Amino acid sequence: MKFPDTLYHYTIGPKIPLIVHSAHLKPFGFGGAANPREKAVLWWSCNPEWEPTATKIVSLDGGRSFERPTVRALHDLVGCFRFRLDVRNPVGLHSAGVKLLPWTRIPLVAGIAAADVQRMVLAGLELGAVPNQWWGCLEEVPVQWEVSGLLQVDLMQPNGSWQPLAGMAEALERAHANPTQIRQLRASQVPQARGL
């Protein structure tokens, strides 16, 4: 299996304080899974621009209505961030306790039910994603890896390009610069929307 040189984890401004507080990128579990023993996955993509499935359904009015904004609208509302993971040394990552898996292996290792896999793929394709670009791990990734250069945080610019930030302190400052509040709809609130 050939690892890409770089993998990306995409997120939005309101998530940055939570990441700083926990000091980790954490796997996310799906509460409405068909398999109750399903393991949470920290998702990565080798798409360097934006992973379409990272644009979740959100509410701007406190939960009265929900919509999936465009990436540009999401950038303007709350800011878009990405974590860039240097994967050129998979043995080093593995020795640090992080085992990256391609999409084809994740369902088996994480115990994702076949029906959920099908829903995730179909939803991803509908959004313009390429499932073969998906990667994941079951372990937390410490944001302190930025010190060693393994992990870098970037901020999306208005033109869609990415600006490297000095670290999590700057990411937090940039996230606080945009006080727009949104509410994200969790897939477990709408089980048939898994992968959305």
Side-chain angles (χ1 to χ4, degrees):
M1 163 182 48
K2 184 182 184 316
F3 281 83
D5 288 344
T6 307
L7 287 175
Y8 306 91
H9 176 78
Y10 294 94
T11 193
I12 55 176
K15 301 287 186 182
I16 295 295
L18 301 173
I19 294 168
V20 169
H21 178 72
S22 73
H24 290 84
L25 296 175
K26 294 188 169 200
F28 175 78
F30 176 69
N35 178 358
R37 290 186 294 275
E38 179 180 319
K39 297 178 178 92
V41 177
L42 174 58
W43 293 99
W44 299 88
S45 173
C46 55
N47 183 334
E49 295 174 16
W50 181 259
E51 168 56 44
T53 59
T55 307
K56 304 300 184 192
I57 297 172
V58 299
S59 175
L60 300 173
D61 57 12
R64 291 186 296 278
S65 64
F66 288 88
E67 63 181 87
R68 186 186 312 278
T70 64
V71 177
R72 176 57 191 251
L74 199 57
H75 165 273
D76 293 346
L77 288 167
V78 293
C80 295
F81 294 78
R82 75 177 182 187
F83 289 86
R84 189 168 15 111
L85 183 65
D86 185 342
V87 192
R88 288 173 292 183
N89 183 1
V91 175
L93 292 173
H94 189 70
S95 67
V98 174
K99 185 176 181 184
L100 291 164
L101 301 165
W103 163 247
T104 53
R105 296 271 305 135
I106 292 172
L108 178 64
V109 174
I112 302 173
D116 284 335
V117 171
Q118 184 179 17
R119 279 195 286 274
M120 291 169 71
V121 169
L122 291 175
L125 292 172
E126 187 174 306
L127 294 172
V130 179
N132 285 340
Q133 293 181 333
W134 298 343
W135 288 73
C137 60
L138 307 185
E139 303 81 20
E140 296 180 350
V141 169
V143 294
Q144 71 184 25
W145 278 6
E146 67 181 338
V147 175
S148 66
L150 275 176
L151 193 67
Q152 170 70 47
V153 61
D154 301 326
L155 174 67
M156 183 181 276
Q157 299 301 295
N159 66 0
S161 67
W162 292 95
Q163 173 193 350
L165 300 179
M168 289 307 297
E170 185 180 1
L172 187 60
E173 181 183 314
R174 297 293 188 100
H176 284 315
N178 191 334
T180 302
Q181 295 296 312
I182 65 170
R183 180 172 170 215
Q184 188 172 326
L185 182 64
R186 291 178 56 106
S188 59
Q189 293 171 295
V190 184
Q192 66 272 23
R194 172 150 194 176
L196 298 180

